[in-house]
Structure formats: structure tokens, C-alpha cells
Amino acid sequence: MPKGRRGAKILIKSTELGFRLVSVLAGNLHNRAALTKMNSDKGNVRVSLVGAGVFGSYHAAKIAAIDAAQLLGVFDPDSARAADLASKHGVGAFNAFEDCLAGADAVIIAAPASAHFALCRDALSAGKHVFVEKPLALSAAEARSLAVLAAENSLVLQVGHQERYVCAAAGLFGRDRIPQRIECVRNVPYTGRCEDVSVVLDLMVHDIDIVRRLTGAAPVTVSAEGDETRLAAEVFLSSGTIATFNAARASASSDRRMTLVYEDGVIDFDFVRRSVSNSTSARIQSMFADAAAPKQIRDPLAYGAQLFIDGVIAGETHGVAGDDAAETVAWAEKIERAAGVRSQSRDRIGEVRFG
């Protein structure tokens, strides 16, 4: 960074164990955000990717396929992994986090969840639009502070709650009735990823977001039991709905289902088999496994990536916004507390690899 240049200076030292935030010097963020908007208006939105793991590779492919976006490069503390992913898309690998911010209009963060807060905070402080995988942060206070930072500086902050798009396209949110009971199951085999946070913020957070959007209600009482890898919770909502959540990340097979019990019938979604059964009067999309299904159902990650780029160009968040996602984190925090488990954000990521 040239001497005398105003703005946020961020240095993250890369080691084989992770990264550590060294310093942040805030600058004129409103001017930086305006400059980013002007740059994206003139042509492609320039996007840097943080994280070269499994989800990082997915995001790289989606951004590379969008005509209005340009993938600048990839940063990961594992330099070999960053170089490998970058080479697949004909771009460079950044040696440091500050390098991926310089010249970018926007940043996609596909790092461990415990790093989301620090990376989002520093990218927003540098005047960059941000797409971050769920969860936005690991505490409601952190998540809300990020939403405020983005709003104050006119920056897009979009969170990767992709399954909300699937439910919206299926017609789930179009009913004028609220379910009496909602049963959520999300069990997956062991992968070794996302172990820096509890199963609540790893898996259950998907269902929390859908239930929030479906009911528009607030939790009144929360009970939960389990541990970091397997947990069950029951939440009584202000709407009168009872929502149960079961999540595990060391199951023999994948089982991801949601059952919605209404006074006029039941809707069952199977997210693994891409099927739905419906005995209510609601008109529900049934083409989950059909090639003619809406893009939100066929490829929700690509749909969300397009929303992000469109939002950066328009100067407003088109996907799940930071303030919305922060309330999902608040629910997750209550469930963790009820079960006696805790996930904690860190500026240093020990032995956790970007995923």
C-alpha cells in the first residue's frame, strides 16, 4: 500500500496454523464505499475470495460464471491450496489478506466460522462489499455490529443462508397461516469440517433461519440438550408455534427434513431427496428434482452469488442482509446457552483449516 494513502490497513500474517490480525487503521470509509460503487458501475465487479477449501471452490466457480463479475484471486493461509484453486480459474493467489483487499470491490468469505467476525469487520472497514458464508458471526452482539458497520458505510453485507431461497421458490413463505408446529432434522456424516463451532452454528442455523422467516416470531422459551456435535432443542415462539430442532454432524447417513404442521394439514420437505408432500391447501412447488425447477432450487449457491453481484452494482443488499442474519445468530446463541455449549470467535485460527 503506497505511503500516505488513506483507508484501512490490514495485515494478516499467514502461518501453517492459520492467521492472526495484526493491526487495523480505519480511514475514510464513506469515500472508499463510493469509489467501490463507481468502479463496479464502470464494468465487472472485482471480487476476491477468502478461503480455498470446499466451499471456497464452490464460490470461485459461481463467481467465475457471472458475466458482471471478475474473480481477482484467492487468499488462504495454506498457500499451496490457494495456488491450486487460483490456477483452476486463471487467477493469482494472494500472499496476505491485505493483498486480496487492494483493488477489490467485494470480498467473498468462505473461511472457518470462528473467523467470520474478524474478516468481515476488517473487509467492511476497508470499504469492501462482503458476502460471507453462514453464520455471520458467533454472537448476536458481533453480528449486529457488522450489520451496523455495513449500513453506516453504505456497503452490501450478504450472508449465505442459501436454503431460504429454496423454500421461497417452493412457495413455503407464501401462506397467510403460521404453522402450529415445526419439526426440523439436520443430520450429516462426519466430514471433519466446521469443528471450530458447535453443531448449532454449523448445521442447525439453516433451520433457524427458515423458521424465523416462516413465522416472523420471536423465541419466548428455549430448552436444549446435547453437546457440540449432536444437539436437540425446543423453542416456544411468540406466535404460539412450537419449533423443534435436531442436528448432528456424525451420523451414518444424511437426513435433512422439515415438517410443518398446520391446522389444515401437513407439509413435509426432504432436502436430501429433493421431494415434498403436502396435504394442506397451499400451492407448493413439487419439481425439486426436475431440470425445469427454478434456479433457486436447482442451484441456490449460484442464485445467491448473482444476487450479491447485482446488489453490489445496485448499491443495496438483495440477498439475506446482515441485520436479518444477525437475528438468526441471536436464536442460535440462546440455544447454545440453553444446552451449555459455546462457540467463540477468534482472530487466530489455531489448527483449523479454511473450509
Side-chain angles (χ1 to χ4, degrees):
M1 181 178 296
K3 292 182 179 179
R5 177 177 174 181
R6 297 190 65 187
K9 182 179 181 182
I10 299 173
L11 178 61
I12 290 187
K13 289 185 176 179
S14 174
T15 71
E16 62 183 12
L17 296 182
F19 62 86
R20 181 171 60 90
L21 174 69
V22 177
S23 64
V24 177
L25 300 175
N28 190 330
L29 301 183
H30 287 285
N31 289 343
R32 293 288 294 278
L35 179 60
T36 295
K37 177 65 165 58
M38 286 192 298
N39 286 338
S40 60
D41 283 343
K42 292 177 181 178
N44 289 351
V45 177
R46 300 164 302 183
V47 182
S48 290
L49 173 65
V50 179
V54 174
F55 263 84
S57 67
Y58 295 159
H59 281 289
K62 303 310 177 186
I63 290 297
I66 297 175
D67 290 339
Q70 176 190 357
L71 182 63
L72 289 184
V74 181
F75 170 70
D76 192 294
D78 185 331
S79 58
R81 189 166 63 165
D84 180 60
L85 178 59
S87 67
K88 291 177 181 178
H89 295 279
V91 298
F94 298 113
N95 293 322
F97 182 62
E98 68 170 355
D99 295 338
C100 81
L101 296 179
D105 301 311
V107 177
I108 292 179
I109 296 172
S114 55
H116 285 182
F117 172 68
L119 292 171
C120 286
R121 177 195 61 202
D122 301 332
L124 292 169
S125 295
K128 309 303 176 182
H129 302 286
V130 172
F131 178 104
V132 60
E133 266 301 334
K134 58 77 191 168
L136 173 55
L138 305 191
S139 73
E142 290 177 345
R144 288 167 180 155
S145 72
L146 293 175
V148 169
L149 182 59
E152 287 178 344
N153 296 289
S154 303
L155 294 167
V156 171
L157 174 58
Q158 181 177 323
V159 184
H161 286 290
Q162 275 79 232
E163 291 203 359
R164 186 190 290 199
Y165 308 139
V166 175
C167 293
L172 186 63
F173 302 141
R175 301 210 76 191
D176 57 2
R177 305 183 185 191
I178 295 175
Q180 298 173 325
R181 185 175 179 86
I182 305 173
E183 299 172 0
C184 306
V185 176
R186 191 167 293 265
N187 300 329
V188 301
Y190 178 76
T191 65
R193 293 187 287 114
C194 302
E195 293 186 322
D196 57 321
V197 295
S198 78
V199 71
V200 177
L201 285 165
D202 176 16
L203 299 178
M204 193 181 290
V205 67
H206 288 290
D207 297 316
I208 293 172
D209 176 71
I210 294 170
V211 170
R212 280 191 54 249
R213 176 65 181 81
L214 189 64
T215 64
V220 176
T221 61
V222 178
S223 59
E225 61 180 7
D227 54 32
E228 286 78 5
T229 60
R230 181 181 295 272
L231 196 144
E234 182 177 82
V235 182
F236 182 74
L237 304 178
S238 57
S239 61
T241 304
I242 297 175
T244 62
F245 302 90
N246 287 273
R249 56 186 177 195
S251 299
S253 60
S254 291
D255 183 12
R256 294 183 284 125
R257 295 175 284 110
M258 180 175 287
T259 300
L260 311 175
V261 181
Y262 292 89
E263 58 185 16
D264 66 335
V266 177
I267 300 174
D268 275 307
F269 281 90
D270 189 318
F271 293 101
V272 175
R273 294 179 175 82
R274 294 279 181 172
S275 63
V276 58
S277 64
N278 174 28
S279 64
T280 74
S281 59
R283 298 183 64 180
I284 299 296
Q285 167 69 256
S286 60
M287 298 185 300
F288 275 83
D290 196 307
K295 186 175 183 179
Q296 298 99 303
I297 292 175
R298 289 185 288 106
D299 195 343
L301 189 63
Y303 181 79
Q306 186 68 63
L307 286 181
F308 178 57
I309 297 302
D310 291 346
V312 170
I313 293 171
E316 59 185 19
T317 302
H318 288 173
V320 180
D323 56 349
D324 190 353
E327 296 314 304
T328 294
V329 174
W331 280 42
E333 191 174 30
K334 291 178 185 294
I335 291 172
E336 282 193 329
R337 187 178 299 122
V341 303
R342 184 187 182 198
S343 299
Q344 185 174 0
S345 293
R346 290 174 282 180
D347 281 346
R348 183 176 178 85
I349 308 299
E351 296 182 350
V352 178
R353 288 166 57 90
F354 276 20

